Amino acid sequence: MPNFNTPPTLNAGRSVFFVSDGTGVTAETFGHAVLTQFDMRFKQIRLPFVDNEEKAHAAVQQINAAFKADGQRPIVFSTLVTPKLSAILHQAQGMHMDLFQTFVEPLEQELGVQSTHTIGRSHNITDSQEYNDRIEAINFSLAHDDGQSKRNLEAADLILVGVSRSGKTPTSLYLAMQYGLKVANYPLIPEDFERGKFPSPLLAYKQKIFGLTISPERLAQIRNERLRGSKYASLENCRYEVNEAERMMQAAGIRWLSSTVKSIEEIAAMILQELKSDKPVF
Amino acid sequence: MPNFNTPPTLNAGRSVFFVSDGTGVTAETFGHAVLTQFDMRFKQIRLPFVDNEEKAHAAVQQINAAFKADGQRPIVFSTLVTPKLSAILHQAQGMHMDLFQTFVEPLEQELGVQSTHTIGRSHNITDSQEYNDRIEAINFSLAHDDGQSKRNLEAADLILVGVSRSGKTPTSLYLAMQYGLKVANYPLIPEDFERGKFPSPLLAYKQKIFGLTISPERLAQIRNERLRGSKYASLENCRYEVNEAERMMQAAGIRWLSSTVKSIEEIAAMILQELKSDKPVF
């Protein structure tokens, strides 16, 4: 459980600052994309809403203080638009990673338009169709989690199937949240294996079904965390279910992939690749 | 609904390529952080798993073909680690945004370690405690969505409250997925307003409760999309509920913010800022 109140301790790794004149979402997303490349822990400090000179100077002081305390210069990811504030921030004794100077300014020139930050317009994302589609996709995916509803499956962009705890739910929610896809998910359960038939409500939608499988060993480990010692979690039962599920998917001609050593981001990327989505990003 | 099969059309905007030697998650996250700064639509093409010279040359051809078709050079976000493959890709007639050359290489020097990509180690994220905490947080947040379960609320990192459709569910799931926080959410309903008392199962956890409110006009709009013409969705009822909910939160001394014009990312950032989370990023 994260601890919100304890101040950062010295052994928590290099200090990383995310400095923004807004909420800091962009600075953080960008910083995380870079930091995930390093197998280290970082001590993160968010400095959002740095929108005047006084706050910029305060940020400089805080970064310099971290340098003094750590004995190592902090990494500073920043998305300050105003050149004056950016110049103040760059006085801090940190390693500066400036998203705007590096990428957004050249891209403004290339595209021949100003970025929404630069023109200082409050970007009310909640007005956009894309945003509302994402929220709608989250609601759809929740309502169609774990086979809860067979209604309106024709509206689904994708239907994930697989044994219980093969990763369907987090993958569905991730695809809905990040890509605005309406993803239903449907468990393959012992009753299906006994009948030896793929769940019939789904057969009409074969084109948009994608299977997740998982190694029986990993599945037993995950299930044991919830229901230790149960038949449900036993390696023998997991072997049986995975084996039957794979056989059933193969017989029905359904594409699948293994979630065993993949993160939800990786599973999502592979499914999207498979679906050859060419929809616009925003 | 996204269309997986139609080829990109000419009027869908500038072509943007995400080129990666892996799944492309990093290239995409990075690219999105930059592109969201522009109020334009882009035609996205993912080129994952570009891990040999043949595929790198094929990528170059595809980018050049897009240039020819669009009449504008494509934007190319890339995260190729191997210098040889990166050099081939840079022959393409695009505007190159290279995450590794720009940020990761300098950071390797600064930190005195190689990035996980550079050392070519398959990064099995699913082994990490942080990843498993995220999955556990998603499961917790789902089980505690919409006041479904009052059990184990002491394990919650955060409890969101607010009227129905004020944004609690997507915010909870986003905080779980992105930050590994266990977020319960609990609706404030007409029965609470009639009793005039904050829901009693929650009172013991006041320190970790955060409220979401919303303008009655926006709330009526959202509710009408689901249940058009109902009393539930009427502006009059929405005014009553929002008013009562705000009064109840104020009386109980609960912090809150308005979700009216905020994206879930922005709401999450503001809540985290309020909670002053200093937990390590990874």
Side-chain angles (χ1 to χ4, degrees), chain A residues 129-186:
Chain A
Q129 188 59 46
E130 286 78 12
Y131 182 76
N132 289 316
D133 287 349
R134 274 177 68 205
I135 298 297
E136 192 51 37
I138 294 170
N139 290 331
F140 181 95
S141 299
L142 267 179
H144 293 80
D145 182 40
D146 204 29
Q148 277 178 70
S149 172
K150 294 167 194 66
R151 285 173 47 199
N152 208 14
L153 278 179
E154 67 276 9
D157 296 314
L158 177 68
I159 302 171
L160 293 180
V161 299
V163 300
S164 162
R165 296 284 140 188
S166 56
K168 300 182 301 299
T169 294
T171 303
S172 301
L173 292 173
Y174 183 81
L175 283 164
M177 199 165 272
Q178 292 298 116
Y179 299 99
L181 295 179
K182 291 179 180 165
V183 186
N185 77 73
Y186 212 93

Side-chain angles (χ1 to χ4, degrees), chain A residues 1 37 41 110 116-117 130, chain B residues 37 41 116-117 130 157:
Chain A
M1 190 186 119
Q37 303 307 314
R41 291 179 76 82
E110 175 73 20
T116 48
H117 257 72
E130 286 78 12
Chain B
Q37 301 308 313
R41 292 180 75 84
T116 48
H117 257 73
E130 285 78 12
D157 295 315

Side-chain angles (χ1 to χ4, degrees), chain A residues 15 17 19 45 47 50 52-70 72-74 76 80 85-94 96:
Chain A
S15 292
F17 286 84
V19 187
I45 303 102
L47 300 178
V50 176
N52 64 36
E53 294 187 26
E54 195 187 335
K55 290 184 194 167
H57 284 297
V60 171
Q61 284 183 7
Q62 204 174 335
I63 294 165
N64 289 346
F67 184 16
K68 218 169 164 184
D70 296 351
Q72 292 178 312
R73 62 176 183 161
V76 182
L80 296 179
L85 300 184
S86 185
I88 293 172
L89 185 70
H90 278 259
Q91 293 166 9
Q93 293 169 299
H96 290 276

